Amino acid sequence: MPGKLKAKIVAGRHLPVMDRASDLTDAFVEVKFGNTTFKTDVYPKSLNPQWNSEWFKFEVDDEDLQDEPLQITVLDHDTYSANDAIGKVYIDIDPLLCSEAATVISGWLPIYDTIHGIRGEINVLVKVDLFNDLNRFRQSSCGVKFFCTTSIPRCYRAVMVHGFVEELVVNEDPEYQWIDRIRTPRASNEARQRLIFLMSGELQRKIGLKVLEMGGNAVVGYLQCFDLEGESGLVVRAIGTACTLEKISTFPATATHPNNSSPSKDMKDSPQAAPSTLGCRSTHSSPVHSASSRLSQGFSVSVPTLLFAGMKPRHRSSEVPRARQCRPGFGEEAPGVPLSSGPPTPLRAQTFSSFSPSKSYSRQSSSSDTELSLTPKTGMGSGGSAGKEAGPLKALLRQQTQSALEQREYPFFTLTAFPPGFLLHVGGVVSARSVKLLDRIHNPALGNTRSYKLLDWNSFTADEPETRDAWWEEIRQEIKSHAKALGCHAVVGYSESTSICEEVCILSASGTAAVLSSRFMQDGPLDTEHRLSRQPLCVFSTGSERVEGDMGSSASLGFEEVVSPGCGFCHIPYDELNIPFPAQLTYCYCCRRYKVPDVLFTTIDLPTEANVTGKGCLIQARLCRTKKKAQGEGNATAISSLLPFLEYELHTQLMNKLKLRGMNALFGLRIQISVGETMLLGLASATGVYLTALPSPGGIQIAGKTPSDITYEQHISTMQKKINDTIDKNKELYEINPPEVVEEIIGSPIPEPRQRSRLFRSHSESSDEVSELDLSHGKKDAFVLEIDDTDAVEDIHALLTDSPTPAGFYSCNTEIMPGIQNWTSAIQMFTSVRVFRLNANLTNQGLNKIFSDLCENLLKSLYFKLRSMVPCCLCHLNFTVAIPEDELIQVAVTAVAMSFDKEQPLENGKQSGEKTLIKAITENDEQLQFNLELNAETSSHNPLSSPKGLSEVGSHLSARAPSVDYSSFADRCSSWIEQLKLKAHTIRRGSVKTTSSLEKASPLPEGRSRSLRSNRSYSGSSVAVVKMTPLSFIPGAKIIKYLGIINMFFIRETSSLREEGGVSGFLHTFIAEVFAMVRAHVAALGGNAVVSYSMKECVFMENPNKNQAQCLINVSGDAVIFVRESELESTSVQTQSATTHTSNGGEGT
Amino acid sequence: MSVELDVFVGNTTIMDKEVYQLWLNGYTVNDAVKVRIEGGVMEECEASAEVLLSDTMDQYRTFQMCERLLHHPAKLANQLLFQIPPDRQAMLIERYYAFDDSFVREVLGKKLSKGTKKDLDDVSTKTGITLKSCRRQFDNFKRVFKVVEELKGPLVENIRQHFLLPDQLARDYAAIVFFANNRFETGKKKLQYLTFQDFAFCAGQLINNWTLGAVGKTNNMMEDMDVDLDKEFLQDLKDLKILITDKDLLDQHKSLVCNALRGKTNVFNEMEANFKNLSRGLVNIAAKLINAKDVRDFFIDLVEKFIEPCRSDKWTSIDMNLYLTHYTNSAHILDTFKHHAVWTRYMGVIKSCILRMYHD
């Protein structure tokens, strides 16, 4: 009996009139948890009842606490007939089970009815007393923290990243049970809502158990999805990354350390962090890092990657028909894949034992064997390739990293942003799809279908989860082998999705093959001694161009192994001689040492340390393909034979559009394939950027195949001209300047390195890679489009029809927009949904055009709606497409518009400054956490700043000093707006210590004006304002506490569609209601924002003839408390003086 | 091929002031789009007509969803469905309760009943205000009237608190409620030259001076204290009749006024000639106010009995002011006239009302 749940019903307000005669309501409340129900008294004749009930106490297992929601039902008492339900509130108890999250739920929560929507509000108080249960065999996992955020949450530091966790549970869908025929829609909806609540609770508990087993205490990047498989059931599945997190004390101990001579300190650092912030840097560029990066010499892919992955379905397709027959004996399906020999649920096996070579390892290698038959013989584990060109020691180091990962069955990470130094190299996008036929559940025993809690999967459902597990396993293995072929041992930015149409289901998984540093994966931190001895190397770890500029001198000092992280992740991880696909490799344009590919596609966020030229933009490829109506296996076969073409075309489109914008890399790539009865829909979204390290993309050249006719030639040349013009315009728009120009300007403070890099180049030009180093947009490099058929012509038209974003707007689907900083506090999260009805009998071209226009128009509408926020950037612009019915296309977008200050002087040449700023602003928290963490590790012997640590830092600074021109740095710095943050950043880098005193004059007024702006709009409202954002941060604010995960599922149905304003009115209300409920629950937890918010499901069905519609929405996010940075101002003043002091001190040394 | 469904929902509800006004004015979506296109918003934001249509529909839907909350403005602040910044809330309420002067002139003093509502289409044709907008304004009047009717305490304050209206608007609503309650006739042709603000001013005067609440006789908690005229006072007004029934008093009064005014005005002769008529007019109005029917005719009587004769004699407002000042003050000097308090209370209001109403 390890938990006592207490609930108190305080009052209600705005209740609906239930008694027409009196225009009033006699309301009472039922509070239910598990099988226990309590009731309040009836509060007669009021729309604003004051129940003020006693505390209802439930004594329950913590297992139940995790699985079950608290269910509150408000009813109208009726003496003569049955009591009418007004509505319900489901409260997720989970946030109360974790000591670091919320402690009480208290506030006004909307009373929700699936037919009527929100009907008033109820004020409740909920608490949990949890007793410790140390039972080793317990089934609960209370205390494991869950985060939707796909990076290390802002007020935590990662001690260790354990790796991939996944789980799925299956049940019958109440909507398809026999009883649904006789019960009311309301009862059916409520059954479904409750079931999904239970299932997600159970799922979360099971994942929690796995995390505990691995030794972790949190799941980051938790992604839970529903598959509404119709008759064959309801699958709830989740993936995430298990981590061990440690909370960072949020507020700096302000008064205590004003004179502490720590070299870097800002308001975000906790004081102890300060002394070793420099020191901690060292770890990124520790020998391990440089060695491995060198070994892994090499880097990425993309074009071919996709293509490569795209072919997979074809391979799969041959198996599809079999999938159905072989459900119990999964082994038949893919005889070559050793999966079949594994335990039925391999994931449940211990995957994190450090010693056993483990089944997964052997399986992996053999599976890659089978997979590699498809691909050029490469990979064989990058360890091998590393060994080829490096000394044995390095190979060993590499293998260490490798093995740490390979012990895992799936070296996957759902994270998209990483602590600096974690991500070493990126290989490219890997993806796998598989088409499956859903099996009908055997006609279930009628008796037990009503019990929703099917913990023991007996009888009919017994093999269900196994089947689904096996399906996903197959895909994950494929992903793993793809990654291997790219010379990578890990997959980051990993996600899974499905698209279901009738009985066909497409399972998709994608991620980015990468090489990771082992430092987060070893059991326990590196020993301190080792670390300290490495400190002198730390200098170059803060990837930014300026540091990179220093490289020349540093190299001369003898640190030749060091790679700037600003470009390090671009270097190819695979073996140059065995490229798994045709790619053009060149030497990195930053460091000139390692090979980089010509383009890079990834599913992750732009690493904060990346060197980017100019701004980024959203790039979308859209495609529609008609397909014949078919049933069963035939349908599945048809779909799987279409998939590769679809992916290929999407890829070509992406590539063309990328080149058209003069960019060379895609981040946050998300390809969605949706299946309908008569068509397939593909939508790829990503954020294009120009990575400084990668070669400048060649132009697009059009070539006609049959140059016979003059008019044709003319046509081609006009098109060519148009394309060239567009490229030029885009380059201007996104401020993409050829790298030389950038170097000229940023080079001024540090002339020496520039010359050096020039020299370096000319040197290499004389070598045999000349052609690759040609920066001109010569025809040699141009991407040739041959227009020999109508398809190609259409492609080109499609290229040119994308209208540019209106002035003042930028867009991206990632967290940060390169080139934009100084966000104001004005953010506007929104969801927009459109459904488009098609005419029958459209050609592929016609469909494509319509689909493309639909997306374009939606974007245009968004720009128009948000015009008052200009200048602004639409971030995390996430499109979801679906084919709800034949001839219907549904597009849903959730994103956040964030405005930014334009007044900052943004000369083109200031790229490096800009870039540093972005980092400083948006990612500072993260970096700081990292510092803190390292600090805690290094200074474990000498808490706070010991003289020893200091002197080390000092000496290290002085070693660098000769190459830095302080005054020019200071000049530049003084014009920057985000002074405080910048300082945090720059000082940590140790190279610009004098700037802090110079810039000190301005930051405070700035801070004030910002705070004025931020406070302007909301004051004195009786309802607490809750911000929502799909991003993991809130601009101008600091998240001080995570209160728990929000994961809500709602169904809304109506049989009076016209009266509710038609489909649009119905959905508009419903989405507004969902927002309202999310906000209310967050506010009840004590929070004031939801971060990493996403609408994962929006299933809309209508039947206008019957005047009916139904919609299901699933949303999730992290409830947080944030504090405006302006409110921390007083603290910052103190820290600032401290900083000035210390930096001066530092100079003296 | 058509867009079947198109919604946009922001965490902070986005509302365009311009579109809100068009919605309030009762424009259909298509008309509103036309107006917006003419307004040049398209060029400004590189938008197309399609985008504009989608946006307008969306906004209209939002407003419709909000409308039910606007009926009880206090709810807007503590509802959870829409997250609207307080300044926006205030704007929404203020504009929703704003009305057209030309419309209010048509219904001022009429019973706020279903019958009146049925005639709104005539009002709409006459004023050129859309029927939809007329209905909203009428319903607002009625809603405020109903709520205030059942409340105790000062009228303006009640309106301001219950409907969260700015002060001036609350006063205007008080005037409307007051007129509706007392059913003052304002529609006659002779009164057409008066604006709503003229009446609102007069209503303010009446509320502040002639109602129960005005004299502080009540404990501040009476129903209708600001809506109904002080019956006792109306009764006392009958006593003023002595000023015209007693011949001596009338002559005395006349000579006092004439002496004071001689040489100070260009219309002295007309004034002297008309004195008795004018005085009779004013006093008779006072004496009759005890009858509800004559209360209704209060403004028409003022115009017919006093303002029109003066206007035909071409008095200026200065003349009018002079005359009324001396007319009021002289009465206090009369030996046999005892009703000074009632006279002051009566003439104070009459004077400011007439001065306000004396224009073209």
Side-chain angles (χ1 to χ4, degrees), chain A residues 13-14 108-110 118 121 805-807 827-839 842 850 857 860-862 864-867 888 1017-1019 1021-1028 1063-1065 1067-1069 1071-1073 1075-1076 1079-1080 1100 1102, chain B residues 1-16 18-19 36 41-42 44-48 50-65 68-69 74-89:
Chain A
R13 69 179 184 195
H14 305 157
W108 290 102
L109 300 173
I118 291 178
E121 291 121 38
T805 54
I827 64 169
Q828 168 68 279
M829 190 281 295
F830 58 86
T831 290
S832 184
V833 182
R834 274 190 191 186
V835 175
F836 204 76
R837 185 171 290 282
L838 305 168
N839 283 349
L842 278 164
I850 287 168
N857 287 338
K860 278 187 207 158
S861 271
L862 298 181
F864 183 74
K865 282 265 183 210
L866 299 159
R867 63 193 184 285
L888 285 186
S1017 46
Y1018 310 109
S1019 58
S1021 167
S1022 58
V1023 176
V1025 171
V1026 175
K1027 297 222 172 201
M1028 292 168 78
V1063 284
S1064 295
L1067 193 63
H1068 193 141
T1069 316
I1071 294 174
E1073 283 172 341
F1075 284 6
R1079 286 193 302 256
F1100 179 76
E1102 55 163 332
Chain B
M1 264 162 293
S2 57
V3 175
E4 183 115 340
L5 180 159
D6 179 8
V7 298
F8 176 99
V9 189
N11 182 36
T12 304
T13 308
I14 294 184
M15 292 170 170
D16 185 310
E18 187 204 351
V19 185
R36 295 183 82 186
V41 73
M42 247 161 55
E44 218 173 278
C45 313
E46 306 169 36
S48 65
E50 230 172 289
V51 166
L52 220 54
L53 177 68
S54 147
D55 178 60
T56 312
M57 298 246 274
D58 208 73
Q59 301 258 358
Y60 266 51
R61 215 165 30 234
T62 310
F63 300 140
Q64 268 154 30
M65 287 161 71
R68 141 190 96 74
L69 296 165
K75 270 193 188 168
L76 197 63
N78 59 19
Q79 51 85 32
L80 302 178
L81 192 56
F82 300 102
Q83 189 159 272
I84 306 169
D87 57 332
R88 275 278 131 143
Q89 290 182 15

Side-chain angles (χ1 to χ4, degrees), chain A residues 278-294:
Chain A
L278 283 168
C280 63
R281 288 284 155 187
S282 66
T283 46
H284 324 167
S285 52
S286 64
V288 177
H289 167 96
S290 47
S292 57
S293 52
R294 207 207 192 177

Side-chain angles (χ1 to χ4, degrees), chain A residues 193-210:
Chain A
Q193 280 191 169
R194 186 169 142 71
L195 175 68
I196 288 182
F197 249 110
L198 279 173
M199 287 171 79
S200 20
E202 181 190 336
L203 193 69
Q204 220 168 308
R205 176 174 57 82
K206 287 187 168 171
I207 292 228
L209 278 171
K210 287 189 177 179

Side-chain angles (χ1 to χ4, degrees), chain A residues 717-734:
Chain A
S717 68
T718 46
M719 281 225 268
Q720 180 72 60
K721 192 170 174 307
K722 257 191 208 163
I723 287 178
N724 291 345
D725 289 350
T726 318
I727 293 179
D728 289 341
K729 230 192 285 166
N730 279 329
K731 280 187 175 176
E732 201 175 306
L733 181 64
Y734 301 113

Side-chain angles (χ1 to χ4, degrees), chain A residues 331-375:
Chain A
E332 287 171 42
E333 183 181 346
V337 180
L339 260 182
S340 53
S341 62
T345 52
L347 286 175
R348 272 159 217 163
Q350 172 63 278
T351 54
F352 192 66
S353 63
S354 44
F355 288 86
S356 64
S358 98
K359 209 166 285 163
S360 54
Y361 183 71
S362 59
R363 174 186 307 151
Q364 181 210 16
S365 52
S366 49
S367 76
S368 66
D369 272 342
T370 57
E371 297 293 347
L372 283 173
S373 58
L374 285 169
T375 62

Side-chain angles (χ1 to χ4, degrees), chain A residues 94-96 98-103 145-157 218-221 245-248 250 815 925-926 929 1029 1031-1034 1037-1046 1082 1085-1093 1117-1122:
Chain A
D94 223 46
L96 297 181
C98 176
S99 53
E100 283 168 43
T103 51
K145 298 178 278 288
F146 284 80
F147 301 93
C148 294
T149 302
T150 56
S151 54
I152 302 301
R154 299 280 157 145
C155 50
Y156 289 91
R157 67 183 190 89
V219 183
V220 178
L245 298 184
E246 217 172 81
K247 190 140 168 71
I248 303 166
T250 17
E815 289 243 320
D925 287 345
E926 196 167 74
Q929 283 156 30
T1029 173
L1031 306 181
S1032 64
F1033 66 98
I1034 292 166
K1038 183 169 165 49
I1039 294 171
I1040 56 164
K1041 191 169 183 184
Y1042 281 79
L1043 299 165
I1045 200 167
I1046 294 282
V1082 171
L1085 285 169
N1088 56 5
V1090 192
V1091 296
S1092 300
Y1093 168 84
D1118 294 326
V1120 300
I1121 303 176
F1122 73 86

